[in-house]
Amino acid sequence: MSAPSDARLADVGRLVVRCPDRPGIVAVLSRLMADAGANITESQQHSSDPVGGTFTLRLEFVLADLATRRLQLEAALAGLAGEWQFTWRLTEAARKPRLAVFVSTADHVLQELLYRVGSGDLRAEVAAVVSNHLDLEPVARAAGVPFHHVPVTPATKDAAEARALELVGDVDLVVLARYMQIVSADFCSRFPERLINIHHSFLPAFVGANPYRAAHDRGVKLIGATAHYVTAELDAGPIIEQEVARVDHRATVEDMRRIGRYVERQVLAQAVTWHVEDRVIVEGDRTIVFA
Amino acid sequence: MSAPSDARLADVGRLVVRCPDRPGIVAVLSRLMADAGANITESQQHSSDPVGGTFTLRLEFVLADLATRRLQLEAALAGLAGEWQFTWRLTEAARKPRLAVFVSTADHVLQELLYRVGSGDLRAEVAAVVSNHLDLEPVARAAGVPFHHVPVTPATKDAAEARALELVGDVDLVVLARYMQIVSADFCSRFPERLINIHHSFLPAFVGANPYRAAHDRGVKLIGATAHYVTAELDAGPIIEQEVARVDHRATVEDMRRIGRYVERQVLAQAVTWHVEDRVIVEGDRTIVFA
Amino acid sequence: MSAPSDARLADVGRLVVRCPDRPGIVAVLSRLMADAGANITESQQHSSDPVGGTFTLRLEFVLADLATRRLQLEAALAGLAGEWQFTWRLTEAARKPRLAVFVSTADHVLQELLYRVGSGDLRAEVAAVVSNHLDLEPVARAAGVPFHHVPVTPATKDAAEARALELVGDVDLVVLARYMQIVSADFCSRFPERLINIHHSFLPAFVGANPYRAAHDRGVKLIGATAHYVTAELDAGPIIEQEVARVDHRATVEDMRRIGRYVERQVLAQAVTWHVEDRVIVEGDRTIVFA
Amino acid sequence: MSAPSDARLADVGRLVVRCPDRPGIVAVLSRLMADAGANITESQQHSSDPVGGTFTLRLEFVLADLATRRLQLEAALAGLAGEWQFTWRLTEAARKPRLAVFVSTADHVLQELLYRVGSGDLRAEVAAVVSNHLDLEPVARAAGVPFHHVPVTPATKDAAEARALELVGDVDLVVLARYMQIVSADFCSRFPERLINIHHSFLPAFVGANPYRAAHDRGVKLIGATAHYVTAELDAGPIIEQEVARVDHRATVEDMRRIGRYVERQVLAQAVTWHVEDRVIVEGDRTIVFA
């Protein structure tokens, strides 16, 4: 929750380690970090099961001159990885992940992401906005972000996706910010655990199109939004974050859409923030979120 | 929200009127109430659609000597009902509706209902507790409520329902408080809009058995509970109230059950309270709740 | 909650009436509206006390050709006002109130107001942004709103307020959107019940400067924000809306400021929206909010 | 959040360690636990400040035959405590802390504590209920808990406290469950960080008597409750948990009391549960809560 002051951001690192759960792993890793001179400022761990489960550890640490000493730290980790069968991810907090944001015509989620990037609450760089419509070009331009118009029709979908991929180039995360198009399995496979969608219902309720209409017709008293990693199966990927808002019998479908927009932007922005801070780890169909 | 002080409860009435929406209906009804000497202390109304919709009005009023003057008021309403095509329900706040509560082995919802009845927050009388198990007999007995043990097996279901109906006799509302049995369509039809169930998920997600297991496996970040009127289709009746609680990746299925219990008891108690205060009106598959 | 479609917005009116509570007032007013041909689509009322209290009624109605027939409706109201001792306010939903927004250097609340005005969720016009700093001039300019830089020092406060008043001219509502200056009693008196401030705590806790620092030092587990009408006494005016967010022991003062920003913008935008929709009525030190 | 199954509860331990923050402390402690054969199932830590702050660690672990091997573990901890300047608390999850609950006439919080103890959600034993009134004797008796009636008057306060202390004997935690009496500084000093009160407002708003009356008069839109450790200064001790509920202009003081009861019972029960699970650590005027 607490962000280190910018002055020393260059020294801040994050380490995520996963391995079969086994007594002693924390002792080994914390010894390694101590020996490397790293001061651990935040530590969270989770065992999917004390017996035969997977152990996940996330550390935030301060290590003077991290950029230089990073290789040394990675060598130490590599030296132990075999014995303890762990995989790891080491990131420097100073590095801003590059995002590609796919949108359609609704601007609320894009605006929120751009606002949070601008305010520094979301430490990332929006590298490109891609849309099948032109409506949001001014929003992207005003924020100084390249905008790519890639129309999509059922017939041209494959070509459109290929074109979009080419245009966005190398990015760390793709965000579907009310994109309203179902992306292909091939597209998904290019961004494993790096493709986040916002769905405008509390999944698994109201999968698919027009969830507010369906919610209205079912007479629910809470509407919701869900941010999840995208997998080949529609609206079925691992959930990162959900939130709801209360509605009553007076709410029309249009009211639900309006109220829901504020839930959607909050949920997606929160999910993206946790992702870029290496706080989300996929475990099967579920996520671990070290919030 | 505000309850009149008990001193004058005998003078407090509630009127719910429904009719095709048409200009002037409020003027006519409020004139009728004024002429009857009733002082309206709470008024809520809803139009399902300003054009061609249904108009619903709920009034709470004070009328000195209500029990005596009730017939006069009903005659006045009857005199207008034809012309304005309205139906109405008039209740005296002093009269406590009689509830039959069906349970299985889990006590949390029953305890909550009994607590709220005892504290006066829920103005009703629990006329009987019915269960297919003996576990909760002591809970009912401690509250001075008759307990009926009616075992159910697939083969004896019809007979068991008939026996239960006989035992509970004439009640205003049947509450399925984690009863864990699917009641028959015939049973439902005997209590139209007077049979409330608590389902341990935020419907329409996780219909049917074992919703916490399903919620866990889907990796949701919010679990919920839904109180709804029971209709012949499982978990599909009009929703009265829903609420959710946050869970994280650490929550096991058992944790979800534990956390969920506190949501379930709150949601069902709220729904029953609104129902007995004539605040809930069914409109097709949805409810109007004048909270 | 439900907004009429724009097509007929010109026919939508709102009426707020206040008078000593007395049986028959609703009948009289609803008869008047029916005779005028108005179809009431939303109606809410409140009695501060059934005996000797104040009765408040808010109606939303559709009246074909409202702009033309408004005078006639007002004449009818005036004809009854004496007998029933009521005051009233009649507004046309189509007319957008003009707001002046006072800011300092923080942009989050201003951005939110501008976003909601742009999206149509807040039906108002931002007539001017006034600031004692230059930081937010680009934000106002990007939205096409006049920006006035009016520096304030303790010595020049009176002159600065006078200058600001001159610059903003005739507005319906003044919004202090994290203005960070205490406005004078004289300034307050020029905008009775038309001057809204956002305070970054759940009042009455943490009145005055640096509430997040104070909240941190007190070790609260919830931080909040409060939108209220401004009166001569600091942070003591009638509260319109409040909301809170959960924090834990990890949250620094800076974290609280960051988290709090999202609460502040939500609370102020909600309060301003309710105000411009004539949903807020001041009653002594408190507000009635017909949400 | 996750409770181990009862089958192995006897093997579950909890360790809380506090010391000046210093690189390597986690490595040392996790090595010690690994060498002792303990499998850490939950671990949370907090640094009040990476430089010169206090480090706090809470571990939950499984160690076969804990009761027997506990001394060995404590010896190992004692061997390191000097070098690392740490203090520690080691508890066996199987041992149920003994609570004394002080009440007045309101039963809702007591009922909730008894319910949660009975259901096993709160692993503790209510050793005694003490009251200055007789109203709740039946509630205590029904739960099989000794009830002590200790009347208090301003003149007899010291003697009454002495009598109460004598009657409750040796307990782990004293809970003031709407006791409505201000306990003496001497009483507080006998239960340092082991005396929890529920105050019926979101502190620091509405310190002292009649907070719902004060909340009503101030016109707040949220009412709240706060569980905190009691110190000599009234309502000023470290806050453990807070929650709020929404109210509107219709809510009378009595409505607020009624709604508030459900917030109070939830907040106090949560705070007591966290306390008995060794999740709350006092740090100056604030608490760390490893929820």
Side-chain angles (χ1 to χ4, degrees), chain B residues 67-136:
Chain B
T68 312
R69 294 164 73 185
R70 175 185 179 135
L71 283 178
Q72 197 177 333
L73 191 56
E74 291 189 311
L77 285 162
L80 286 171
E83 182 187 345
W84 291 87
Q85 296 178 263
F86 64 67
T87 58
W88 85 89
R89 183 168 71 225
L90 181 69
T91 53
E92 297 171 40
R95 181 186 171 274
K96 292 190 180 181
R98 288 165 53 83
L99 318 185
V101 182
F102 282 58
V103 298
S104 183
T105 58
D107 72 339
H108 56 289
V109 187
L110 175 61
Q111 295 268 28
E112 182 72 5
L113 291 173
L114 292 171
Y115 171 74
R116 294 197 185 200
V117 164
S119 72
D121 290 351
L122 170 55
R123 282 191 53 80
E125 180 196 344
V126 180
V129 171
V130 176
S131 182
N132 54 337
H133 293 273
L134 283 164
D135 306 53
L136 303 189

Side-chain angles (χ1 to χ4, degrees), chain A residues 202 216 221 242 286-287, chain B residues 202 216 221 242 246 286:
Chain A
F202 49 83
H216 181 270
K221 301 299 185 186
Q242 303 187 285
R286 312 169 73 235
T287 63
Chain B
F202 49 85
H216 181 270
K221 299 302 184 186
Q242 304 187 284
R246 195 158 275 277
R286 313 169 72 232

Side-chain angles (χ1 to χ4, degrees), chain D residues 19 22 28 41 89 91 102 110 118 204 242 250 258 270:
Chain D
C19 62
R22 190 170 133 195
V28 162
T41 53
R89 182 168 73 225
T91 54
F102 282 58
L110 175 61
Q242 302 186 285
R250 298 177 295 169
R258 180 170 45 79
Q270 181 63 84

Side-chain angles (χ1 to χ4, degrees), chain A residues 112 121 258 261-262 265, chain C residues 1 112 121 258 262 265:
Chain A
E112 184 71 5
D121 290 351
R258 180 169 47 78
R261 283 202 293 269
Y262 296 90
R265 72 174 186 177
Chain C
M1 186 177 277
E112 183 71 6
D121 290 350
R258 180 170 46 77
Y262 296 90
R265 71 174 187 178

Side-chain angles (χ1 to χ4, degrees), chain B:
Chain B
M1 185 177 277
S2 169
S5 66
D6 262 17
R8 50 208 294 226
L9 195 63
D11 296 340
V12 175
R14 294 189 291 254
L15 175 66
V16 176
V17 174
R18 307 204 72 198
C19 63
D21 202 357
R22 187 171 134 198
I25 176 68
V26 175
V28 162
L29 287 168
S30 44
R31 169 53 52 210
L32 183 153
M33 296 302 284
D35 289 349
N39 191 17
I40 295 167
T41 52
E42 201 177 318
S43 170
Q44 287 162 297
Q45 62 179 74
H46 179 67
S47 297
S48 64
D49 195 315
V51 182
T54 296
F55 173 81
T56 306
L57 176 72
R58 179 188 185 276
L59 299 178
E60 228 171 275
F61 59 90
V62 179
L63 177 57
D65 208 8
L66 171 62
T68 312
R69 294 164 73 185
R70 175 185 179 135
L71 283 178
Q72 197 177 333
L73 191 56
E74 291 189 311
L77 285 162
L80 286 171
E83 182 187 345
W84 291 87
Q85 296 178 263
F86 64 67
T87 58
W88 85 89
R89 183 168 71 225
L90 181 69
T91 53
E92 297 171 40
R95 181 186 171 274
K96 292 190 180 181
R98 288 165 53 83
L99 318 185
V101 182
F102 282 58
V103 298
S104 183
T105 58
D107 72 339
H108 56 289
V109 187
L110 175 61
Q111 295 268 28
E112 182 72 5
L113 291 173
L114 292 171
Y115 171 74
R116 294 197 185 200
V117 164
S119 72
D121 290 351
L122 170 55
R123 282 191 53 80
E125 180 196 344
V126 180
V129 171
V130 176
S131 182
N132 54 337
H133 293 273
L134 283 164
D135 306 53
L136 303 189
E137 179 160 15
V139 175
R141 296 281 181 233
V145 173
F147 177 89
H148 306 298
H149 181 220
V150 183
V152 182
T153 66
T156 64
K157 185 163 169 167
D158 288 356
E161 284 190 355
R163 175 82 182 122
L165 284 170
E166 195 179 274
L167 286 165
V168 303
D170 190 28
V171 292
D172 298 286
L173 178 68
V174 175
V175 181
L176 306 182
R178 298 299 306 273
Y179 180 47
M180 310 304 278
Q181 296 288 321
I182 298 174
V183 295
S184 71
D186 177 62
F187 189 94
C188 293
S189 71
R190 285 170 187 264
F191 301 99
E193 302 175 13
R194 296 192 295 127
L195 176 57
I196 296 179
N197 180 48
I198 181 72
H199 184 73
H200 36 314
S201 79
F202 49 85
L203 289 175
F206 311 123
V207 164
N210 259 327
Y212 290 125
R213 162 70 58 193
H216 181 270
D217 291 352
R218 181 62 188 91
V220 297
K221 299 302 184 186
L222 299 171
I223 57 172
T226 304
H228 63 96
Y229 288 111
V230 182
T231 57
E233 187 184 342
L234 182 65
D235 297 334
I239 293 170
I240 305 169
E241 173 65 340
Q242 304 187 284
E243 192 48 275
V244 293
R246 195 158 275 277
V247 292
D248 68 24
H249 56 269
R250 298 176 296 169
T252 61
V253 176
E254 192 43 54
D255 291 328
M256 290 184 175
R257 278 193 196 106
R258 180 169 46 78
I259 296 166
R261 283 201 294 268
Y262 296 90
V263 184
E264 293 162 26
R265 71 175 186 176
Q266 160 62 23
V267 166
L268 184 62
Q270 180 65 82
V272 171
T273 302
W274 282 335
H275 176 94
V276 302
E277 294 178 350
D278 298 309
R279 296 183 183 279
V280 192
I281 295 100
V282 174
E283 185 163 83
D285 296 334
R286 313 169 72 232
T287 63
I288 297 166
V289 179
F290 289 131

Side-chain angles (χ1 to χ4, degrees), chain C residues 9-266:
Chain C
L9 195 63
D11 296 339
V12 175
R14 296 189 289 254
L15 176 66
V16 176
V17 173
R18 309 205 71 200
C19 62
D21 202 355
R22 190 171 133 195
I25 177 68
V26 174
V28 162
L29 287 169
S30 44
R31 171 51 53 209
L32 183 154
M33 296 302 284
D35 290 348
N39 192 17
I40 296 168
T41 52
E42 199 178 320
S43 170
Q44 288 161 296
Q45 63 180 72
H46 179 66
S47 296
S48 64
D49 195 316
V51 181
T54 296
F55 173 82
T56 306
L57 176 72
R58 180 188 183 275
L59 300 178
E60 228 170 277
F61 61 90
V62 178
L63 177 57
D65 208 8
L66 171 63
T68 311
R69 292 163 75 184
R70 175 186 178 134
L71 283 177
Q72 200 177 329
L73 191 57
E74 291 189 312
L77 286 162
L80 286 170
E83 183 186 345
W84 291 87
Q85 294 178 266
F86 63 67
T87 57
W88 85 88
R89 184 168 70 224
L90 181 69
T91 54
E92 298 171 38
R95 182 186 170 272
K96 292 190 180 181
R98 289 164 52 83
L99 317 184
V101 182
F102 282 58
V103 296
S104 183
T105 59
D107 73 338
H108 57 288
V109 187
L110 176 60
Q111 295 268 28
E112 183 71 6
L113 291 173
L114 292 171
Y115 171 74
R116 294 197 182 200
V117 164
S119 72
D121 290 350
L122 170 56
R123 282 190 53 79
E125 179 197 342
V126 179
V129 171
V130 176
S131 181
N132 54 337
H133 294 273
L134 283 164
D135 306 51
L136 302 189
E137 179 160 16
V139 175
R141 296 280 181 232
V145 173
F147 177 89
H148 306 298
H149 180 220
V150 182
V152 182
T153 65
T156 65
K157 185 162 170 171
D158 288 357
E161 284 190 354
R163 176 79 183 127
L165 285 171
E166 195 180 275
L167 286 165
V168 302
D170 191 27
V171 292
D172 297 288
L173 178 68
V174 175
V175 180
L176 305 182
R178 296 299 308 272
Y179 179 48
M180 311 302 280
Q181 297 287 320
I182 299 174
V183 294
S184 69
D186 177 62
F187 189 94
C188 293
S189 71
R190 285 169 186 264
F191 301 98
E193 301 174 16
R194 297 191 295 127
L195 175 58
I196 296 179
N197 181 48
I198 180 72
H199 184 73
H200 35 315
S201 80
F202 49 83
L203 288 176
F206 310 124
V207 165
N210 260 326
Y212 289 125
R213 161 69 59 190
H216 180 271
D217 291 352
R218 181 61 188 89
V220 296
K221 300 301 184 184
L222 299 171
I223 56 171
T226 305
H228 63 96
Y229 288 112
V230 182
T231 57
E233 189 184 342
L234 182 64
D235 297 334
I239 292 170
I240 304 169
E241 172 65 340
Q242 302 187 285
E243 192 48 277
V244 293
R246 196 159 274 277
V247 292
D248 68 23
H249 56 269
R250 298 176 297 169
T252 60
V253 176
E254 190 45 51
D255 291 327
M256 289 184 175
R257 279 194 195 106
R258 180 170 46 77
I259 295 165
R261 283 201 294 267
Y262 296 90
V263 183
E264 294 163 26
R265 71 174 187 178
Q266 161 62 23

